[in-house]
Amino acid sequence: MDKHIAPVALEKAYRLINHGPTVLVSSGHAGVSNVMAAAWCCALDFAPPKLTVVIDKATRTRALVENSGKFVIQVPTVAQLQLTHDVGSKSLLQEPDKLERAGVELFHIDGYETPFVAGCSAWLACRLIPEPHNQQAYDLFIGEVVGAWSDTRVFRDGHWHFEDASPELGSLHYIAGGNFYAIGQVLQANTDK
């Protein structure tokens, strides 16, 4: 594992996605691994920590999540812009070498079977909480976060530090048509009122 990766306390895990980044969803089952991009992912609960993510019926990742009951949510970086676009716009069903062509490097963390995407700034390992109605009607999946990690160059002590990090470590925010924004400057509200 990279020397910059450190565990994040589960009670702070929601902070890894609370700023609304585009995420990468990885899963694996029966020797097949896949990664897709998702723009609709958000924190749902604190204790135990839960999140939601929309995974379309047409994706190979969805079948892997449903069959394995596990997935990982990753926060990709500005340096992974093209990778994020490519895994979000190509399907493993039509392109079996999708991950190689996109330059995806997978790794594993001891105790977790699901593949993780290298180079991201945050990782949340999730156990699927089956909600068949939500999954079928809305493509909405709920995961309980069972492990969380961050790249300490940009997230440490329970907080993001984008202002101190290299711009390549910024998070991506998808708009449409291949257009993304990188996270912007820090603005501080008066909290003494």
Side-chain angles (χ1 to χ4, degrees):
M1 184 164 30
D2 185 291
K3 67 180 179 175
H4 297 291
I5 298 175
V8 172
L10 289 180
E11 63 269 11
K12 303 289 186 196
Y14 73 94
R15 293 181 178 178
L16 297 172
I17 58 169
N18 210 38
H19 65 295
T22 296
V23 299
L24 300 178
V25 183
S26 62
S27 192
H29 181 70
V32 176
S33 296
N34 198 25
V35 179
M36 63 171 271
W40 297 343
C41 179
C42 70
L44 177 64
D45 202 352
F46 298 105
K50 297 180 192 76
L51 57 78
T52 63
V53 62
V54 173
I55 306 175
D56 190 88
K57 291 171 185 66
T59 66
R60 182 68 169 107
T61 301
R62 180 173 173 146
L64 297 173
V65 170
E66 289 176 329
N67 287 316
S68 70
K70 299 177 180 92
F71 59 97
V72 178
I73 296 293
Q74 283 101 170
V75 178
T77 65
V78 168
Q80 294 173 302
L81 170 67
Q82 193 63 50
L83 178 153
T84 301
H85 178 266
D86 291 351
V87 300
S89 60
K90 309 281 191 233
S91 173
L92 192 68
L93 295 170
Q94 284 80 39
E95 295 186 24
D97 61 346
K98 165 187 153 174
L99 299 183
E100 293 81 24
R101 292 175 83 179
V104 174
E105 180 185 337
L106 299 175
F107 71 99
H108 286 85
I109 292 178
D110 288 344
Y112 298 87
E113 299 169 12
T114 309
F116 291 69
V117 178
C120 294
S121 60
W123 301 262
L124 298 102
C126 298
R127 177 186 65 80
L128 177 64
I129 298 174
E131 290 285 349
H133 172 73
N134 287 342
Q135 291 166 208
Q136 286 303 313
Y138 308 111
D139 296 331
L140 183 69
F141 285 71
I142 299 173
E144 178 184 343
V145 179
V146 295
W149 301 264
S150 69
D151 183 324
T152 57
R153 294 173 295 177
V154 70
F155 186 96
R156 60 191 173 279
D157 304 320
H159 296 281
W160 287 106
H161 296 276
F162 292 113
E163 67 279 8
D164 300 330
S166 168
E168 293 84 32
L169 291 173
S171 60
L172 297 169
H173 303 261
Y174 185 67
I175 305 305
N179 296 304
F180 293 79
Y181 281 102
I183 190 130
Q185 68 184 31
V186 174
L187 304 173
Q188 180 67 50
N190 182 351
T191 58
D192 295 332
K193 289 185 175 187

